[in-house]
Amino acid sequence: MRLLHLSLPVSDVASVAAYFRDVLQLEVAGDQVSIGWSTIQLQPANGRPVGGVHLAFNVPDNRFADAMRWLRARTPLQCNPEGLDYFALESSWQSQSVYFTGPDGLILELIGRRRLPAGDRSGAFHGSELTCLSEVGLPSHDVDAVREQASQRFGLRPISPPSPQFAPMGDDEGLLIVVAADRRWFPEQKDLPNAQGLQLQVADVSGRGELHDAALGWRVQAA
């Protein structure tokens, strides 16, 4: 699955666009942020809450150490309660991650996935090496129901064993991180998930339907 286009409500379009351009070195044109095949369109929040939104970006796994050094020089990393700021997952994930806080309290993540192709660059890392938007957090009051709908409508499977609190639906290139609305985000475990006003278009799925949560304000559609 590919996450093609995300509409993201923000408190101030110009300042958030400047963050993506100046801190993360991404291509920005007006309210549009480009990350590989993905686009984030920044929109005025118009009173919607903006904190607690989780987004992750794929990094070639062989470039992850360089990406981590690059990020440390540009912004503080988030830590878990034990003070760790680097997280490697084995088993079904085969990944390594770091987390950081963006504007409007965005919970952002860089993630390297071993199963994806290696990058062909060397030397100092640059933000243009981020390959795509790879995760979007979607809170729910019934994670199991959303997981079942994602399976039926888009043919998605969980990348790791799901639970009533957490179901990562999709694959290494694109994941819907379905989480319980009362489950605070890893690693700091301070922020509750929020997706008010998020609209996501996905591709390379088997169905043409949509997922939405009217109460929590998000929608996912097949392009």
Side-chain angles (χ1 to χ4, degrees), residues 57-61 64 94-97 110-114:
F57 308 105
N58 274 358
V59 176
D61 190 66
F64 193 83
Q94 296 291 298
S95 67
Q96 50 185 335
S97 296
L110 298 188
I111 183 165
R113 305 181 192 267
R114 295 179 199 165

Side-chain angles (χ1 to χ4, degrees), residues 24 26 35-36 57-60 67 70 110 125-132:
L24 298 187
L26 294 170
I35 314 101
F57 308 105
N58 274 358
V59 176
W70 167 83
L110 298 188
F125 187 84
H126 189 274
S128 59
E129 295 183 63
L130 303 182
T131 56
C132 65

Side-chain angles (χ1 to χ4, degrees), residues 15-91:
S15 64
V16 177
Y19 174 88
F20 281 107
R21 182 190 65 233
D22 299 337
V23 178
L24 298 187
Q25 299 178 325
L26 294 170
E27 181 182 343
V28 176
D31 62 359
Q32 304 270 336
V33 182
S34 298
I35 314 101
W37 58 72
S38 307
T39 301
I40 298 174
Q41 181 174 12
L42 308 174
Q43 298 182 330
N46 292 328
R48 296 189 187 97
V50 293
V53 174
H54 169 65
L55 307 176
F57 308 105
N58 274 358
V59 176
D61 190 66
N62 65 312
R63 295 286 286 152
F64 193 83
D66 297 288
M68 190 170 173
R69 283 191 290 271
W70 167 83
L71 188 63
R72 280 187 190 280
R74 309 179 80 79
T75 188
L77 302 186
Q78 290 192 4
C79 299
N80 69 5
E82 289 72 43
L84 300 176
D85 62 11
Y86 167 78
F87 307 94
L89 295 177
E90 302 297 331
S91 65

Side-chain angles (χ1 to χ4, degrees), residues 49-198:
V50 293
V53 174
H54 169 65
L55 307 176
F57 308 105
N58 274 358
V59 176
D61 190 66
N62 65 312
R63 295 286 286 152
F64 193 83
D66 297 288
M68 190 170 173
R69 283 191 290 271
W70 167 83
L71 188 63
R72 280 187 190 280
R74 309 179 80 79
T75 188
L77 302 186
Q78 290 192 4
C79 299
N80 69 5
E82 289 72 43
L84 300 176
D85 62 11
Y86 167 78
F87 307 94
L89 295 177
E90 302 297 331
S91 65
S92 56
W93 284 88
Q94 296 291 298
S95 67
Q96 50 185 335
S97 296
V98 289
Y99 296 80
F100 56 108
T101 304
D104 287 342
L106 289 169
I107 295 121
L108 303 178
E109 176 185 4
L110 298 188
I111 183 165
R113 305 181 192 267
R114 295 179 199 165
R115 289 183 292 257
L116 292 181
D120 58 5
R121 299 194 198 177
S122 60
F125 187 84
H126 189 274
S128 59
E129 295 183 63
L130 303 182
T131 56
C132 65
L133 173 66
S134 67
E135 295 179 4
V136 174
L138 301 175
S140 175
H141 294 300
D142 190 341
V143 169
D144 288 337
V146 176
R147 174 175 56 81
E148 184 61 28
Q149 291 166 14
S151 176
Q152 292 178 352
R153 297 173 190 178
F154 296 148
L156 302 183
R157 295 179 175 273
I159 200 171
S160 67
S163 76
Q165 291 285 306
F166 183 84
M169 303 299 294
D171 53 45
D172 288 331
E173 289 192 332
L175 285 168
L176 309 179
I177 305 296
V178 185
V179 295
D182 60 356
R183 180 186 185 274
R184 297 182 186 273
W185 283 118
F186 182 85
E188 293 187 329
Q189 300 174 13
K190 295 190 303 186
D191 296 301
L192 289 170
N194 166 47
Q196 287 286 342
L198 294 190

